Amino acid sequence: MLMTERGRAMWRTCLASAFRTALACTIVGSATLYGPEWINRHVAFPAFSYVAVILIITDATLGDTLRGCWLALYATCQSVGPAIVTLKLIGPARLTAETTALAAALAAFVVVLPNSSTHLVAKRIALGQIVLIYVIGYIKGAETDPVMHPLQVAASTALGVVACVLALLVPLPRLATCEVKQSCKELGQNVTTRVKLYMKAFCSDDAMSATASVSQARVLARSSSKLYQTLKRYQPSMTWERLPFKIWRWQNVNDNKGEKLQSMEIALRGMEMVVASKSPIPSSLLAGEVKEDLKNIQERVILSIKRVNNSPQPSVTPESDQKKSDECLQTLQEIPGTPQDLPFYFFLFCIRLLETITMAKPEENKVKVLEKSKTKSWISDWDSKKVMPALKLSLSLGLAILLGSMFSKPNGYWAGLPVAVSFAAGREATFKVTNVKAQGTVIGTVYGVMGCFVFQKFLTIRFLSLLPWFLFSSFLSKSRMYGQAGGISAAIGAVLILGRKNFGPPSEFAIERIIETFIGLSCSILVELVFQPTRAANIAKLELSRSFHALYECASLFGAKASKAEIMESQKKLRSHLNELKKFTAEAHAEPSFWFSPFNFSCYEKLFKSLSKMADLLQFSGYAIGFLGEQGKTKSPQCKEILSNVDKDLKSLTESIGLLAKSFEEITLLKSLDALEKALAKSDNTSWDIELGKTPNPSFSTAVSEPEKILETYLQHCRSVADGIFRVEEGGEEEAKVDKSEVVLSLSALGFCVERIGKETREIEEMVKEVVQSENPSSHVNLHEISCKIRSLYK
């Protein structure tokens, strides 16, 4: 049933997108084929009107289209104004293939250079306009008017923009606000259902039933990630719909609702961590009225989630519900006696964390980090990371125009257009993206040629045949195989043939366009290989090392008593590196190996999962420490003294984790073990000799070899803390009294994190060893020995 609903939703989305795209293209076609003479005189390039439609309206809302109008205007100012001046100075009659390619390359460099301040759609439109202005100016030569020709390109763009606006208003406007509102509603239902499933699995006595509930929850978790992507996709577009809301006084959507729902994911991942583990919950902990109390907690949490999703204002749990909550936790008065009891307490901790997040005010979910204000200027864009994309694009575009014009002067711009309209600001999987662009162009062109042959005498039916193709292209855009690059290429390939007339036999035009497209894509690959010879596998390896460094910094802050803002910022940095690792791992997997050794995708994928779990555990530890800090404001000096022992345990563990992460960072940066041996031979340093006991990294394996011992010591100190709290409460000091259940939950959650961190560390060690072994198949890998050698080399 779930798959059916999701399939219906995708069908509705793709059908609506295809309808609006086909309607916009029909408006362009009707205006250029049947419109008055003055339209044909000013809109001289209807092909680019179609391109503008595809770039703006694909899966768009009214807010996207309004933003697209502004971006098209901005792009036109970037390209048309300078082009008029350039054509005036050079003169169209003096343009050659070389000067045309050089002028287009320089103009493209200026457009792409402000990498962070210009939207990608604006850059693609501006680059497409640059190709048409200079290449067609070269084709027509002296017949080209230096002023009117660029203005005709601008008018062609404007027609496409107007068609997009009209198509989005018929029959009813598709609003980003409605999309966000619907996504928030589905997210609320998703979170509620997952809480019920996790609670069902937690309380179930049947292992099969618990496994089935966890499986259902995992499917919902994957659905929730897509819903969060939808929120991220449409929330910026809501800004462009503010004016209609103010004019028509429509009800707006609370922007913080999606953020609060997304912040609940950490608690849900913790609940899944417990129920997905194969270790059963001791039946003694679930005996008596505990299950009934857990159901009451579940209902209260679900009620809080519903309040978040239905009310734009932060809701407050009624006092009666809060008293009921305290009664449910009255039994939590003792620290778990064995490690097997920790999952039970950690699950309750996650429920309490989930409830805390739902009741928090919007500003409490965000970490305020004071940063020095930086003056941004155009000059600040001149650094290697921002100049390189502009340089590569300008060279690719210039080379494509040069070779395309040399192959066929009348059709030379078809080599430059694919490079221009498919520009991506970030790094892409070069061969994979180029492959899907070529395939999309070919199948779209073939469909267009077939449509022309079948409906050769019926131009109106030709436009109707675009509707099923745009529907197919929408599915291509949402597929893993083709993605947005392949879907857009397929849509453009068909519409450029079906939407034109008087361009010669369709088959000849299709063949020439396919060849020109191949020339342009080949130029992109060539420039990419020359200027970025580093394989995606090597970048993934570098990102793995950076992830270990971020883990080292994150773990180090726990022992340094850093502020909450610093800890959250370090966790955010770790998440960022992990996202990059996931991205480059997928890119390396899609990249052909050629003569290089195959990329160990499965091992990197396991490392990503383990590091993500480690990041989650550190985040749970941060929340638990925060709860303890709130209770610590009322503690007596006696309790503070007892808590210091717990702090020492955590500091010892985090230091061990940090040292281990630092060692893994250094190990994963190695090119090969042979290079390390050669470097050691040159340095003549033997302090790494393990047999002499002179290892510069004695704490390398503490967290790996002794997690049970650390956990046992930690639990002993936690019991001392609990006993100290009892003595304080019996002393009758009202200002020193604390919520013991909160302390027990937080300390137990920390114990669970200590245990799981040890397990994840051992798994990470095995995976790192496998990565190093796959890169050095003829060597025996001993991570401890390698770490000692590296430390000795830099000693």
Side-chain angles (χ1 to χ4, degrees):
M1 181 63 69
L2 181 63
M3 293 296 295
T4 303
E5 291 177 0
R6 195 185 320 151
R8 289 174 181 173
M10 180 174 288
W11 266 99
R12 285 194 298 268
T13 302
C14 293
L15 188 60
S17 176
F19 169 75
R20 295 185 188 279
T21 306
L23 180 59
C25 291
T26 302
I27 292 172
V28 172
S30 301
T32 54
L33 297 177
Y34 304 109
E37 180 63 26
W38 63 269
I39 292 182
N40 291 326
R41 187 170 60 253
H42 291 93
V43 183
F45 308 103
F48 195 72
S49 300
Y50 293 122
V51 172
V53 166
I54 301 298
L55 291 177
I56 294 174
I57 205 173
T58 303
D59 199 22
T61 62
L62 179 61
D64 293 325
T65 307
L66 295 177
R67 180 181 60 182
C69 296
W70 161 249
L71 293 177
L73 177 61
Y74 180 76
T76 302
C77 294
Q78 273 190 311
S79 60
V80 172
I84 292 175
V85 176
T86 303
L87 291 178
K88 278 281 190 181
L89 293 176
I90 298 177
R94 292 196 294 270
L95 285 174
T96 63
E98 292 78 8
T99 56
T100 301
L102 179 61
L106 292 176
F109 182 83
V110 173
V111 168
V112 177
L113 184 59
N115 205 18
S116 58
S117 58
T118 307
H119 195 275
L120 190 60
V121 172
K123 290 181 181 181
R124 289 174 174 175
I125 292 176
L127 292 172
Q129 290 175 336
I130 287 171
V131 171
L132 290 180
I133 290 172
Y134 289 103
V135 178
I136 294 182
Y138 160 64
I139 294 171
K140 292 184 177 180
E143 299 179 2
T144 304
D145 189 312
V147 178
M148 290 305 300
H149 171 56
L151 292 179
Q152 287 174 344
V153 174
S156 302
T157 307
L159 176 61
V161 172
V162 172
C164 290
V165 176
L166 294 177
L168 257 297
L169 294 175
V170 177
L172 290 174
R174 183 191 179 197
L175 300 175
T177 305
C178 296
E179 296 291 333
V180 171
K181 188 175 181 180
Q182 180 64 25
S183 297
C184 287
K185 180 181 178 181
E186 293 179 10
L187 271 173
Q189 296 172 351
N190 185 292
V191 172
T192 301
T193 306
R194 286 159 67 191
V195 170
K196 292 179 180 178
L197 288 171
Y198 290 142
M199 189 67 75
K200 180 181 178 182
F202 185 71
C203 298
S204 177
D205 298 326
D206 183 11
M208 294 294 292
S209 175
T211 303
S213 299
V214 173
S215 300
Q216 294 178 29
R218 282 176 175 168
V219 173
L220 289 172
R222 288 192 291 268
S223 301
S224 68
S225 63
K226 295 181 180 180
L227 291 172
Y228 289 127
Q229 291 175 4
T230 302
L231 280 177
K232 186 177 180 181
R233 158 71 177 84
Y234 291 114
Q235 275 184 332
S237 304
M238 291 173 58
T239 307
W240 293 88
E241 296 175 356
R242 301 291 187 192
L243 183 58
F245 278 127
K246 290 180 180 179
I247 293 176
W248 294 314
R249 297 181 180 180
W250 291 344
Q251 184 179 1
N252 206 347
V253 176
N254 184 14
D255 295 341
N256 298 316
K257 188 183 296 184
E259 296 178 5
K260 179 170 284 192
L261 288 170
Q262 189 167 9
S263 64
M264 299 178 190
E265 283 296 316
I266 181 64
L268 294 172
R269 287 199 297 269
M271 297 168 71
E272 181 184 4
M273 203 178 293
V274 173
V275 297
S277 63
K278 296 182 180 180
S279 54
I281 304 297
S283 57
S284 59
L285 296 175
L286 292 172
E289 298 181 356
V290 176
K291 290 185 179 181
E292 190 64 30
D293 292 340
L294 288 175
K295 288 183 180 179
N296 293 333
I297 296 175
Q298 171 188 311
E299 293 301 322
R300 189 184 65 255
V301 170
I302 291 175
L303 182 61
S304 299
I305 296 172
K306 289 181 178 179
R307 287 178 183 141
V308 169
N309 210 24
N310 294 332
S311 175
Q313 299 297 328
S315 58
V316 179
T317 303
E319 188 176 352
S320 59
D321 289 348
Q322 193 63 41
K323 288 181 179 179
K324 198 173 185 180
S325 161
D326 296 336
E327 292 175 1
C328 293
L329 299 175
Q330 285 301 317
T331 57
L332 303 178
Q333 298 295 315
E334 294 182 1
I335 297 295
T338 62
Q340 289 75 20
D341 297 343
L342 289 174
F344 174 80
Y345 288 82
F346 182 73
F347 190 87
L348 296 182
F349 173 82
C350 292
I351 294 177
R352 174 55 63 90
L353 175 61
L354 182 61
E355 185 179 18
T356 302
I357 293 173
T358 59
M359 295 176 61
K361 295 181 180 179
E363 59 270 15
E364 293 177 3
N365 290 327
K366 299 180 182 180
V367 179
K368 298 180 180 179
V369 182
L370 297 177
E371 297 179 355
K372 296 181 179 179
S373 60
K374 298 180 180 179
T375 305
K376 293 184 178 180
S377 63
W378 194 83
I379 300 176
S380 65
D381 288 324
W382 287 88
D383 60 63
S384 58
K385 291 183 179 180
K386 295 179 180 179
V387 171
M388 187 56 67
L391 181 62
K392 289 193 299 182
L393 186 277
S394 61
L395 290 177
S396 301
L397 190 64
L399 187 60
I401 290 174
L402 177 62
L403 297 180
S405 300
M406 292 172 63
F407 174 78
S408 175
K409 182 178 178 180
N411 296 295
Y413 57 92
W414 292 116
L417 269 180
V419 179
V421 300
S422 62
F423 167 72
R427 177 186 165 90
E428 292 182 312
T430 308
F431 291 99
K432 178 184 177 183
V433 173
T434 303
N435 181 33
V436 299
K437 287 178 184 176
Q439 290 187 33
T441 301
V442 170
I443 61 177
T445 304
V446 170
Y447 181 85
V449 172
M450 292 174 58
C452 286
F453 278 119
V454 174
F455 307 111
Q456 191 170 5
K457 298 181 180 180
F458 305 98
L459 194 59
T460 304
I461 301 179
R462 256 203 250 169
F463 283 106
L464 295 178
S465 66
L466 284 173
L467 180 60
W469 185 251
F470 285 143
L471 179 62
F472 177 69
S473 300
S474 297
F475 280 107
L476 285 184
S477 299
K478 297 181 183 298
S479 67
R480 290 185 179 181
M481 181 178 293
Y482 284 91
Q484 191 175 20
I488 289 178
S489 298
I492 292 177
V495 73
L496 291 180
I497 293 180
L498 291 173
R500 302 178 63 202
K501 65 178 181 178
N502 300 327
F503 56 86
S507 57
E508 293 181 9
F509 173 76
I511 293 173
E512 290 184 359
R513 185 174 178 272
I514 290 174
I515 295 175
E516 294 284 354
T517 300
F518 177 78
I519 291 174
L521 296 178
S522 300
C523 292
S524 296
I525 293 178
L526 179 62
V527 172
E528 189 76 23
L529 293 178
V530 170
F531 281 88
Q532 195 163 305
T534 306
R535 297 176 63 217
N538 293 338
I539 298 180
K541 182 179 179 180
L542 178 61
E543 201 58 49
L544 177 63
S545 178
R546 289 173 178 170
S547 299
F548 279 125
H549 181 75
L551 177 62
Y552 162 74
E553 291 181 341
C554 190
S556 300
L557 286 177
F558 281 93
K561 293 186 178 181
S563 65
K564 181 181 178 181
E566 291 175 334
I567 292 176
M568 297 298 286
E569 187 65 23
S570 68
Q571 291 172 349
K572 182 180 178 182
K573 182 180 178 181
L574 176 58
R575 298 281 184 188
S576 174
H577 282 294
L578 289 177
N579 290 335
E580 290 295 309
L581 174 62
K582 182 180 180 181
K583 170 188 171 184
F584 289 120
T585 298
E587 180 177 335
H589 184 53
E591 184 182 57
S593 298
F594 293 119
W595 54 87
F596 301 102
S597 58
F599 178 69
N600 197 341
F601 172 73
S602 62
C603 194
Y604 271 79
E605 191 176 32
K606 292 177 183 177
L607 274 170
F608 168 76
K609 291 179 180 178
S610 293
L611 286 170
S612 298
K613 288 182 181 178
M614 188 77 81
D616 287 340
L617 291 169
L618 288 174
Q619 189 168 351
F620 285 126
S621 302
Y623 280 120
I625 291 173
F627 289 151
L628 287 173
E630 293 176 2
Q631 296 295 327
K633 296 176 183 178
T634 62
K635 286 185 175 59
S636 66
Q638 182 183 7
C639 286
K640 291 181 180 179
E641 182 180 352
I642 298 172
L643 273 175
S644 64
N645 292 327
V646 176
D647 290 337
K648 289 178 182 178
D649 293 334
L650 293 176
K651 185 176 180 180
S652 175
L653 177 68
T654 52
E655 284 180 353
S656 299
I657 297 298
L659 286 173
L660 201 60
K662 190 68 176 176
S663 300
F664 289 158
E665 175 193 357
E666 296 166 346
I667 290 172
T668 51
L669 280 176
L670 284 177
K671 291 184 178 180
S672 67
L673 295 182
D674 292 336
L676 176 61
E677 294 293 342
K678 292 178 181 178
L680 280 170
K682 290 182 180 179
S683 65
D684 194 25
N685 192 337
T686 59
S687 64
W688 57 270
D689 193 347
I690 300 176
E691 293 181 358
L692 298 177
K694 298 177 181 179
T695 60
N697 189 10
S699 301
F700 176 85
S701 58
T702 302
V704 180
S705 60
E706 300 180 354
E708 293 84 4
K709 183 178 179 180
I710 295 175
L711 179 61
E712 183 180 353
T713 304
Y714 171 80
L715 290 177
Q716 289 177 357
H717 290 155
C718 287
R719 294 187 194 100
S720 300
V721 171
D723 294 339
I725 292 173
F726 263 135
R727 289 195 294 271
V728 170
E729 290 183 344
E730 290 172 358
E733 299 176 17
E734 188 66 29
E735 66 279 2
K737 288 186 178 181
V738 296
D739 187 345
K740 188 180 178 184
S741 62
E742 291 286 350
V743 175
V744 169
L745 274 181
S746 300
L747 291 176
S748 302
L750 280 173
F752 179 87
C753 293
V754 168
E755 181 190 26
R756 289 306 174 97
I757 284 174
K759 291 182 179 179
E760 292 300 330
T761 302
R762 282 181 290 189
E763 292 186 11
I764 289 174
E765 183 192 28
E766 291 299 321
M767 291 301 103
V768 171
K769 184 177 180 179
E770 185 178 337
V771 168
V772 177
Q773 188 69 71
S774 65
E775 295 172 351
N776 303 272
S778 60
S779 303
H780 173 70
V781 176
N782 185 321
L783 295 183
H784 191 185
E785 182 179 338
I786 295 172
S787 176
C788 294
K789 290 179 179 181
I790 295 173
R791 296 294 178 89
S792 174
L793 185 63
Y794 295 104
K795 191 173 180 180

